[in-house]
Amino acid sequence: MTVVQTCALPISIASFATFAEWQAFILELSLSPGIPDIVTVKFKRAQKLHLLAWIDFDIIKAGEMVAVATLELALRDCYGDKVKDKRGNISFDRTLRYMVEHDGLTDDKLPMHRRCGGGSVVSRLTGKTKPSLANIRNGLAHGYPFDGLPWSGTLELVRDLIEYAYRGVLADLPT
């Protein structure tokens, strides 16, 4: 299997000759210990769906949906009280923008960006680059989730954003 891995940035290609190689790649994207169990379990579900994409690549779209839903859960947990509107609603878009505008997130703080270089992940979070991550989420959840090509790098980006949001919890863990 050959996967175009754009890292939401410059295009690179990763090839996997065996399921074991694909599995090792997906498992490398696991969350760090210390992230709340509910988030970790949901993220592992996204990883399982990505693994099953070896059999039928269309399944990767379901993996993307679960990954982005997991990110939304994590961001609601970490930032929800800070971004609620007057009605108490928490939007995914506001939580993403909050990370950049009020919590110090920059491209250089994301391991994916440091590894891939070029472009900007943050601009997809703030909506300066279209489609934004919130637009992608809305398309997956409410549009045509199984139409179109996969958004390469989604699982890795979600992992990095979750770990950034919980960085305080991870820093407090004994080494």
Side-chain angles (χ1 to χ4, degrees):
M1 173 189 298
T2 299
V3 176
V4 176
Q5 185 177 8
T6 66
C7 304
L9 302 169
I11 293 178
S12 62
I13 300 200
S15 294
F16 306 95
T18 66
F19 177 76
E21 291 175 2
W22 176 243
Q23 182 180 33
F25 174 76
I26 296 298
L27 292 178
E28 284 178 20
L29 301 176
S30 295
L31 291 172
S32 297
I35 303 288
D37 288 343
I38 191 166
V39 174
T40 300
V41 167
K42 290 180 184 303
F43 189 82
K44 285 181 180 180
R45 186 172 298 139
Q47 286 179 293
K48 284 180 192 176
L49 288 164
H50 276 72
L51 281 174
L52 288 171
W54 181 266
I55 299 166
D56 182 348
F57 197 68
D58 282 344
I59 295 171
I60 207 157
K61 296 301 287 181
E64 289 177 343
M65 286 189 341
V66 172
V68 175
T70 304
L71 175 61
E72 186 169 8
L73 171 69
L75 298 185
R76 286 165 107 15
D77 181 39
C78 293
Y79 305 111
D81 59 330
K82 297 171 178 90
V83 301
K84 283 182 184 175
D85 66 15
K86 293 176 184 174
R87 294 183 176 149
N89 297 321
I90 303 167
S91 79
F92 185 52
D93 179 56
R94 276 198 309 274
T95 59
L96 292 169
R97 283 187 284 117
Y98 184 89
M99 294 178 80
V100 176
E101 296 168 0
H102 302 284
D103 198 29
L105 179 63
T106 63
D107 285 322
D108 291 334
K109 292 181 181 176
L110 294 170
M112 176 183 192
H113 183 269
R114 289 194 309 268
R115 184 177 61 78
C116 297
S120 174
V121 174
V122 166
S123 67
R124 285 222 188 260
L125 305 182
T126 61
K128 289 180 183 169
T129 299
K130 299 292 182 192
S132 69
L133 187 56
N135 295 140
I136 292 168
R137 175 249 182 233
N138 291 341
L140 289 169
H142 305 294
Y144 302 99
F146 298 102
D147 288 344
L149 297 172
W151 292 97
S152 287
T154 302
L155 191 64
E156 185 176 6
L157 177 60
V158 165
R159 189 253 344 249
D160 288 354
L161 292 172
I162 290 172
E163 290 193 350
Y164 183 84
Y166 286 108
R167 69 193 180 285
V169 172
L170 297 175
D172 291 340
L173 292 175
T175 55

Coordinates of all heavy atoms in Angstrom, one line a residue, residues 96-152:
L96 N -10.6 25.3 18.5 CA -9.4 25.3 17.7 C -8.7 26.7 17.7 O -7.5 26.8 17.8 CB -9.7 24.8 16.2 CG -10.1 23.4 16.1 CD1 -10.7 23.1 14.7 CD2 -8.9 22.4 16.4
R97 N -9.5 27.7 17.4 CA -9.0 29.0 17.4 C -8.4 29.4 18.8 O -7.4 30.1 18.9 CB -10.0 30.0 16.9 CG -10.2 30.0 15.4 CD -11.1 31.1 14.9 NE -12.5 30.7 15.2 CZ -13.3 31.4 15.9 NH1 -13.0 32.6 16.5 NH2 -14.6 31.0 16.1
Y98 N -9.1 29.0 19.9 CA -8.6 29.3 21.2 C -7.2 28.8 21.4 O -6.4 29.5 22.0 CB -9.6 28.7 22.3 CG -9.2 29.1 23.7 CD1 -9.6 30.2 24.2 CD2 -8.3 28.3 24.4 CE1 -9.2 30.6 25.5 CE2 -7.9 28.7 25.7 CZ -8.4 29.8 26.2 OH -8.0 30.2 27.5
M99 N -6.9 27.6 20.9 CA -5.6 27.0 21.1 C -4.5 28.0 20.5 O -3.4 28.1 21.1 CB -5.5 25.7 20.4 CG -6.3 24.6 21.0 SD -6.2 23.0 20.0 CE -4.6 22.4 20.7
V100 N -4.8 28.6 19.4 CA -3.8 29.5 18.7 C -3.8 30.8 19.3 O -2.8 31.4 19.7 CB -4.2 29.5 17.2 CG1 -3.2 30.5 16.5 CG2 -4.1 28.2 16.6
E101 N -5.0 31.4 19.5 CA -5.1 32.8 19.9 C -4.9 33.0 21.4 O -4.5 34.1 21.8 CB -6.5 33.3 19.5 CG -6.7 33.3 18.0 CD -8.1 33.6 17.6 OE1 -9.0 33.7 18.4 OE2 -8.4 33.6 16.3
H102 N -5.1 32.0 22.3 CA -5.0 32.2 23.7 C -4.2 31.2 24.5 O -3.9 31.4 25.6 CB -6.4 32.2 24.3 CG -7.3 33.3 23.8 ND1 -7.2 34.6 24.1 CD2 -8.3 33.2 22.9 CE1 -8.1 35.3 23.4 NE2 -8.8 34.5 22.6
D103 N -3.8 30.1 23.8 CA -3.1 29.0 24.5 C -1.7 28.8 23.9 O -1.0 27.8 24.2 CB -3.9 27.7 24.5 CG -3.3 26.8 25.6 OD1 -2.8 27.2 26.6 OD2 -3.5 25.5 25.4
G104 N -1.2 29.7 23.0 CA 0.1 29.7 22.6 C 0.5 28.7 21.5 O 1.7 28.5 21.3
L105 N -0.4 28.0 20.9 CA -0.1 27.1 19.9 C 0.5 27.7 18.6 O -0.1 28.7 18.1 CB -1.3 26.2 19.5 CG -1.1 25.2 18.4 CD1 -0.1 24.1 18.9 CD2 -2.4 24.5 18.0
T106 N 1.6 27.2 18.2 CA 2.2 27.7 17.0 C 2.6 26.4 16.2 O 2.6 25.3 16.7 CB 3.5 28.5 17.2 OG1 4.5 27.6 17.8 CG2 3.2 29.7 18.1
D107 N 2.9 26.6 14.9 CA 3.3 25.5 14.1 C 4.5 24.8 14.7 O 4.5 23.5 14.7 CB 3.6 25.9 12.6 CG 2.3 26.2 11.8 OD1 1.3 25.5 12.0 OD2 2.4 27.2 11.1
D108 N 5.4 25.5 15.1 CA 6.7 24.9 15.7 C 6.5 24.1 16.9 O 7.3 23.3 17.3 CB 7.7 26.0 15.9 CG 8.2 26.6 14.7 OD1 8.2 26.0 13.6 OD2 8.7 27.8 14.7
K109 N 5.3 24.2 17.6 CA 5.0 23.4 18.7 C 4.4 22.1 18.4 O 4.1 21.3 19.3 CB 4.2 24.2 19.7 CG 4.9 25.4 20.3 CD 4.1 26.1 21.3 CE 4.9 27.3 21.9 NZ 4.1 28.1 22.8
L110 N 4.1 21.8 17.1 CA 3.5 20.6 16.7 C 4.6 19.7 16.1 O 5.2 20.0 15.1 CB 2.4 20.9 15.6 CG 1.2 21.6 16.2 CD1 0.3 22.0 15.0 CD2 0.4 20.7 17.2
P111 N 4.8 18.5 16.7 CA 5.8 17.6 16.1 C 5.6 17.3 14.6 O 6.6 17.2 13.9 CB 5.6 16.3 17.0 CG 5.0 16.8 18.3 CD 4.2 18.0 17.9
M112 N 4.4 17.2 14.2 CA 4.1 16.9 12.8 C 4.7 18.0 11.9 O 5.3 17.7 10.9 CB 2.6 16.8 12.6 CG 2.1 16.6 11.2 SD 0.3 16.6 11.2 CE 0.0 16.0 9.5
H113 N 4.5 19.2 12.3 CA 5.0 20.4 11.5 C 6.5 20.4 11.6 O 7.2 20.6 10.5 CB 4.5 21.7 12.0 CG 4.9 22.8 11.2 ND1 6.0 23.6 11.5 CD2 4.4 23.4 10.1 CE1 6.2 24.5 10.6 NE2 5.2 24.4 9.7
R114 N 7.1 20.1 12.7 CA 8.6 20.1 12.8 C 9.2 19.0 11.9 O 10.2 19.1 11.3 CB 9.0 19.9 14.2 CG 8.8 21.1 15.1 CD 9.5 21.1 16.4 NE 9.3 19.8 17.2 CZ 8.3 19.7 18.1 NH1 7.5 20.6 18.4 NH2 8.2 18.5 18.7
R115 N 8.5 17.8 11.8 CA 8.9 16.7 11.0 C 8.8 17.0 9.5 O 9.6 16.7 8.7 CB 8.2 15.4 11.4 CG 8.7 14.2 10.7 CD 7.9 13.0 11.1 NE 6.5 13.0 10.9 CZ 5.9 12.8 9.7 NH1 6.7 12.5 8.6 NH2 4.6 12.8 9.6
C116 N 7.6 17.6 9.1 CA 7.3 17.8 7.7 C 7.8 19.1 7.2 O 8.1 19.3 6.0 CB 5.8 17.7 7.5 SG 5.2 16.1 7.8
G117 N 7.8 20.2 8.0 CA 8.2 21.5 7.6 C 7.2 22.1 6.6 O 6.2 21.6 6.3
G118 N 7.6 23.3 6.2 CA 6.8 24.0 5.2 C 5.4 24.3 5.7 O 4.9 23.9 6.7
G119 N 4.6 25.1 4.9 CA 3.2 25.4 5.2 C 2.9 25.7 6.6 O 3.7 26.0 7.4
S120 N 1.6 25.7 6.9 CA 1.1 26.1 8.2 C -0.1 25.2 8.6 O -1.1 25.1 7.9 CB 0.7 27.5 8.3 OG 0.1 27.8 9.6
V121 N 0.1 24.5 9.7 CA -1.1 23.7 10.3 C -2.0 24.7 11.0 O -3.2 24.6 10.9 CB -0.6 22.7 11.2 CG1 -1.7 22.0 11.9 CG2 0.3 21.6 10.5
V122 N -1.4 25.7 11.7 CA -2.2 26.6 12.5 C -3.2 27.4 11.6 O -4.3 27.6 12.1 CB -1.2 27.6 13.2 CG1 -2.0 28.8 13.8 CG2 -0.5 26.8 14.4
S123 N -2.8 27.7 10.4 CA -3.8 28.4 9.5 C -5.0 27.6 9.2 O -6.1 28.1 8.9 CB -3.1 28.8 8.2 OG -2.7 27.7 7.4
R124 N -4.9 26.2 9.3 CA -6.1 25.3 9.1 C -6.9 25.3 10.4 O -8.1 25.0 10.3 CB -5.6 23.9 8.8 CG -5.2 23.7 7.4 CD -5.7 22.5 6.7 NE -5.1 22.3 5.5 CZ -5.7 22.6 4.3 NH1 -6.9 23.1 4.3 NH2 -5.0 22.4 3.2
L125 N -6.3 25.6 11.5 CA -7.1 25.7 12.7 C -7.8 27.0 12.9 O -9.0 27.0 13.4 CB -6.1 25.5 13.9 CG -5.2 24.3 14.0 CD1 -4.4 24.2 15.2 CD2 -6.0 23.0 13.8
T126 N -7.2 28.1 12.4 CA -7.9 29.4 12.6 C -8.8 29.7 11.4 O -9.6 30.6 11.5 CB -6.8 30.5 12.6 OG1 -6.1 30.5 11.4 CG2 -5.9 30.3 13.8
G127 N -8.7 28.9 10.3 CA -9.6 29.2 9.2 C -9.0 30.0 8.1 O -9.6 30.4 7.1
K128 N -7.7 30.5 8.3 CA -7.1 31.3 7.3 C -6.8 30.5 6.0 O -6.8 31.0 5.0 CB -5.8 31.8 7.8 CG -6.0 32.9 8.9 CD -4.7 33.5 9.4 CE -5.0 34.5 10.5 NZ -3.8 34.9 11.2
T129 N -6.6 29.1 6.2 CA -6.5 28.3 5.0 C -7.8 27.4 5.0 O -8.2 26.9 6.0 CB -5.3 27.3 5.2 OG1 -4.1 28.1 5.3 CG2 -5.2 26.4 4.0
K130 N -8.3 27.3 3.8 CA -9.6 26.6 3.5 C -9.3 25.3 2.8 O -8.4 25.3 2.0 CB -10.6 27.4 2.7 CG -11.0 28.7 3.4 CD -11.8 28.5 4.6 CE -12.2 29.8 5.2 NZ -12.8 29.7 6.5
P131 N -9.9 24.2 3.1 CA -10.9 24.1 4.2 C -10.2 24.1 5.6 O -9.1 23.5 5.7 CB -11.6 22.8 4.0 CG -10.6 22.0 3.2 CD -9.8 22.9 2.4
S132 N -10.8 24.7 6.6 CA -10.2 24.6 7.9 C -10.5 23.2 8.5 O -11.3 22.5 7.9 CB -10.9 25.7 8.8 OG -12.3 25.3 9.0
L133 N -9.8 22.9 9.6 CA -10.1 21.6 10.2 C -11.5 21.5 10.7 O -12.1 20.5 10.6 CB -9.1 21.4 11.4 CG -9.2 20.0 12.0 CD1 -8.9 18.9 11.0 CD2 -8.1 20.0 13.2
A134 N -12.1 22.6 11.1 CA -13.5 22.6 11.5 C -14.4 22.3 10.2 O -15.4 21.6 10.3 CB -13.9 23.9 12.1
N135 N -14.1 22.9 9.1 CA -14.8 22.6 7.8 C -14.7 21.1 7.5 O -15.6 20.5 7.0 CB -14.3 23.4 6.7 CG -14.5 24.9 6.8 OD1 -13.6 25.7 6.4 ND2 -15.7 25.3 7.3
I136 N -13.5 20.6 7.6 CA -13.2 19.2 7.3 C -14.1 18.3 8.2 O -14.8 17.4 7.8 CB -11.7 18.8 7.5 CG1 -10.9 19.5 6.3 CG2 -11.5 17.3 7.4 CD1 -9.4 19.5 6.5
R137 N -14.1 18.6 9.5 CA -14.9 17.9 10.5 C -16.4 18.0 10.1 O -17.1 17.0 10.1 CB -14.7 18.5 11.9 CG -15.6 17.9 13.0 CD -16.6 18.9 13.4 NE -17.5 18.4 14.4 CZ -18.8 18.5 14.4 NH1 -19.4 19.0 13.3 NH2 -19.5 18.0 15.3
N138 N -16.9 19.2 9.8 CA -18.3 19.3 9.4 C -18.6 18.5 8.1 O -19.7 17.9 8.0 CB -18.6 20.8 9.2 CG -18.6 21.5 10.5 OD1 -18.7 20.9 11.6 ND2 -18.5 22.8 10.4
G139 N -17.7 18.5 7.2 CA -17.9 17.7 6.0 C -18.0 16.2 6.3 O -18.8 15.5 5.7
L140 N -17.1 15.7 7.2 CA -17.1 14.3 7.6 C -18.3 14.0 8.3 O -18.9 12.9 8.1 CB -15.8 14.0 8.4 CG -14.5 14.0 7.7 CD1 -13.4 13.9 8.7 CD2 -14.4 12.8 6.7
A141 N -18.7 14.8 9.2 CA -19.9 14.5 10.1 C -21.2 14.8 9.5 O -22.2 14.0 9.7 CB -19.8 15.3 11.4
H142 N -21.3 15.8 8.6 CA -22.6 16.2 8.1 C -22.8 16.1 6.6 O -23.8 16.3 6.1 CB -23.0 17.6 8.6 CG -22.9 17.8 10.1 ND1 -23.8 17.1 10.9 CD2 -22.1 18.5 10.8 CE1 -23.5 17.4 12.2 NE2 -22.5 18.3 12.1
G143 N -21.6 16.0 5.9 CA -21.7 16.0 4.5 C -21.6 14.7 3.9 O -22.6 13.9 4.1
Y144 N -20.6 14.4 3.2 CA -20.4 13.1 2.5 C -19.2 12.4 3.0 O -18.1 12.5 2.4 CB -20.3 13.4 1.0 CG -21.5 14.1 0.4 CD1 -21.4 15.5 0.2 CD2 -22.7 13.4 0.2 CE1 -22.5 16.1 -0.3 CE2 -23.8 14.1 -0.3 CZ -23.7 15.4 -0.6 OH -24.8 16.1 -1.0
P145 N -19.3 11.7 4.2 CA -18.1 11.2 4.9 C -17.4 10.2 4.1 O -16.2 10.0 4.3 CB -18.7 10.6 6.1 CG -20.1 10.4 5.9 CD -20.5 11.4 4.9
F146 N -18.0 9.5 3.1 CA -17.3 8.4 2.4 C -17.0 8.8 1.0 O -16.7 7.9 0.2 CB -18.1 7.1 2.5 CG -18.2 6.7 4.0 CD1 -19.3 6.8 4.7 CD2 -17.1 6.2 4.6 CE1 -19.4 6.5 6.0 CE2 -17.1 5.8 6.0 CZ -18.3 5.9 6.7
D147 N -17.2 10.0 0.6 CA -16.9 10.5 -0.7 C -15.6 11.3 -0.6 O -15.3 11.8 0.4 CB -18.0 11.4 -1.3 CG -19.2 10.7 -1.6 OD1 -19.2 9.4 -1.8 OD2 -20.3 11.3 -1.8
G148 N -14.9 11.3 -1.7 CA -13.6 12.1 -1.7 C -12.5 11.3 -1.2 O -12.6 10.2 -0.7
L149 N -11.3 11.9 -1.3 CA -10.1 11.3 -0.8 C -9.8 11.6 0.6 O -10.4 12.5 1.2 CB -8.9 11.9 -1.6 CG -9.0 11.6 -3.1 CD1 -7.9 12.4 -3.9 CD2 -8.8 10.1 -3.4
P150 N -9.0 10.7 1.3 CA -8.7 11.0 2.7 C -7.9 12.2 2.9 O -7.2 12.7 2.0 CB -8.0 9.7 3.1 CG -7.6 9.0 1.9 CD -8.4 9.5 0.8
W151 N -8.0 12.8 4.1 CA -7.2 13.9 4.4 C -5.9 13.4 5.1 O -5.9 13.0 6.2 CB -7.9 14.8 5.4 CG -9.1 15.5 4.8 CD1 -10.4 15.1 4.8 CD2 -9.1 16.7 4.0 NE1 -11.2 15.9 4.1 CE2 -10.4 16.9 3.5 CE3 -8.1 17.5 3.5 CZ2 -10.7 18.0 2.7 CZ3 -8.4 18.6 2.7 CH2 -9.7 18.8 2.3
S152 N -4.9 13.3 4.3 CA -3.6 12.7 4.8 C -3.1 13.5 6.0 O -3.2 14.7 6.1 CB -2.6 12.8 3.7 OG -2.8 11.8 2.7

